[in-house]
């Protein structure tokens, strides 16, 4: 068994009244063996009250096809900086997997999946949370990034970012005007695993650029494509 990343790290499970007890029972022994404290709540309102008091280290959300479930994911992303692992049903389509990532999930698993694999993905999310540099603030023109608060402002308006999007933006901001290959970004701004490849970087860069565009900036200008290499963070001088 792999050693737990951090003793007593806290994992919050969010389900509904039907699946929440079963999901907790499936994971309890495995997570206890990993040194992870497992908390569970039924429903998004209870989850939001919980994260308002104390942010967990990882959130696991069981997402069904009902609109309320995807709405819960969106609300959680807006109220917690913790990485989110979404669990989808066995008939989940590709577009549904993409949707939950766009709504703020940092990782997705499609059931049936074992407690062992869910725990492994939770550990990976914990590791990714440790790649950020020491708390500091970066300022580039209209962009301000507060690493300690895990908040990015563009023209004084908050940019809603997923956990991994924020990690990638901080990495870029800490290495301005340096070109990186997709493989280098994957190795340095992710905990690279077999579940992630260079396409993961491409998708996250696309999403970051789009959020800059929505805030009135040219995302492709800030995160420039270096042909034959990869990407470069290119803030205005």
């Amino acid at each position: 068994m792999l050693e737990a990343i951090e003793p007593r790290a806290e994992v919050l499970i969010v389900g509904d009244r039907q699946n929440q007890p079963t999901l907790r029972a499936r994971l309890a022994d495995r997570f206890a063996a990993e040194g992870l404290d497992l908390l569970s709540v039924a429903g998004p309102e209870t989850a939001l009250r919980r994260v308002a008091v104390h942010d967990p280290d990882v959130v696991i959300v069981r997402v069904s096809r009902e609109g309320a479930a995807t709405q819960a994911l969106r609300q959680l992303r807006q109220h917690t900086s913790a990485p989110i692992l979404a669990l989808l049903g066995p008939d989940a389509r590709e577009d549904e997997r993409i949707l939950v990532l766009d709504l703020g999930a940092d990782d997705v698993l499609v059931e049936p999946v074992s407690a062992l694999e869910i725990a492994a993905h939770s550990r990976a999310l914990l590791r990714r949370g440790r790649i950020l540099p020491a708390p500091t603030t970066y300022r580039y023109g209209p962009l301000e990034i507060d690493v300690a608060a895990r908040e990015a402002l563009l023209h004084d308006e908050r940019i809603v970012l997923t956990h991994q999007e924020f990690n990638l933006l901080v990495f870029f901001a800490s290495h301005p005007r340096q070109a990186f290959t997709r493989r280098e970004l994957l190795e340095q701004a992710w905990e690279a695993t077999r579940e992630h490849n260079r396409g993961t970087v491409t998708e996250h860069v696309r999403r970051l650029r789009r959020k800059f565009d929505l805030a009135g900036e040219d995302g492709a200008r800030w995160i420039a494509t270096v042909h034959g290499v990869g990407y470069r963070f290119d803030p205005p001088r």
Side-chain angles (χ1 to χ4, degrees):
M1 183 188 72
L2 293 175
E3 182 181 354
I5 295 300
E6 180 177 320
R8 314 329 307 173
E10 184 177 284
V11 179
L12 177 66
I13 298 175
V14 183
D16 55 36
R17 295 187 184 279
Q18 287 72 40
N19 65 48
Q20 180 260 348
T22 303
L23 185 58
R24 178 183 173 84
R26 281 176 54 202
L27 300 181
D29 290 345
R30 179 73 260 164
F31 275 59
E34 301 278 353
L36 301 172
D37 280 339
L38 192 62
L39 304 175
S40 63
V41 296
E45 293 182 0
T46 307
L48 291 173
R49 289 196 296 269
R50 181 68 182 82
V51 300
V53 175
H54 176 68
D55 241 1
D57 296 291
V58 176
V59 179
I60 298 175
V61 183
R62 179 63 169 85
V63 180
S64 60
R65 281 184 171 161
E66 287 77 20
T70 53
Q71 179 65 21
L73 180 57
R74 181 186 287 109
Q75 290 176 329
L76 277 168
R77 179 74 287 158
Q78 293 173 346
H79 288 84
T80 180
S81 61
I84 296 176
L85 169 61
L87 299 181
L88 301 182
D91 56 348
R93 304 185 305 268
E94 180 183 38
D95 62 316
E96 292 172 319
R97 299 196 297 272
I98 293 171
L99 174 62
V100 297
L101 289 170
D102 285 340
L103 289 173
D106 297 281
D107 198 359
V108 178
L109 286 173
V110 176
E111 298 189 287
V113 61
S114 69
L116 189 65
E117 187 170 359
I118 295 173
H121 279 251
S122 298
R123 288 197 312 270
L125 289 172
L126 282 168
R127 286 196 296 271
R128 289 173 214 163
R130 292 180 168 226
I131 65 174
L132 296 177
T136 186
T137 299
Y138 297 99
R139 292 187 180 88
Y140 294 104
L143 175 66
E144 179 176 340
I145 305 169
D146 186 331
V147 179
R150 292 191 64 85
E151 183 175 70
L153 302 176
L154 194 54
H155 296 294
D156 296 321
E157 294 292 331
R158 179 172 177 264
I159 313 173
V160 178
L161 300 172
T162 69
H163 183 82
Q164 186 54 51
E165 287 168 0
F166 185 84
N167 286 359
L168 181 59
L169 181 59
V170 169
F171 181 82
F172 275 136
S174 63
H175 300 84
R177 302 184 182 90
Q178 295 183 43
F180 292 95
T181 66
R182 291 172 178 82
R183 174 56 58 187
E184 288 172 332
L185 289 170
L186 190 65
E187 291 174 351
Q188 297 183 56
W190 269 265
E191 175 73 20
T193 71
R194 63 185 177 86
E195 288 84 13
H196 296 89
N197 53 43
R198 283 172 289 185
T200 302
V201 176
T202 302
E203 174 61 18
H204 278 74
V205 167
R206 182 191 69 80
R207 285 155 53 179
L208 272 179
R209 284 172 167 172
R210 184 169 183 273
K211 290 178 181 182
F212 272 67
D213 291 340
L214 292 173
E217 291 289 325
D218 184 352
R221 170 66 181 82
W222 281 81
I223 305 175
T225 298
V226 182
H227 296 290
V229 181
Y231 300 106
R232 181 183 67 238
F233 183 64
D234 216 4
R237 297 180 183 274

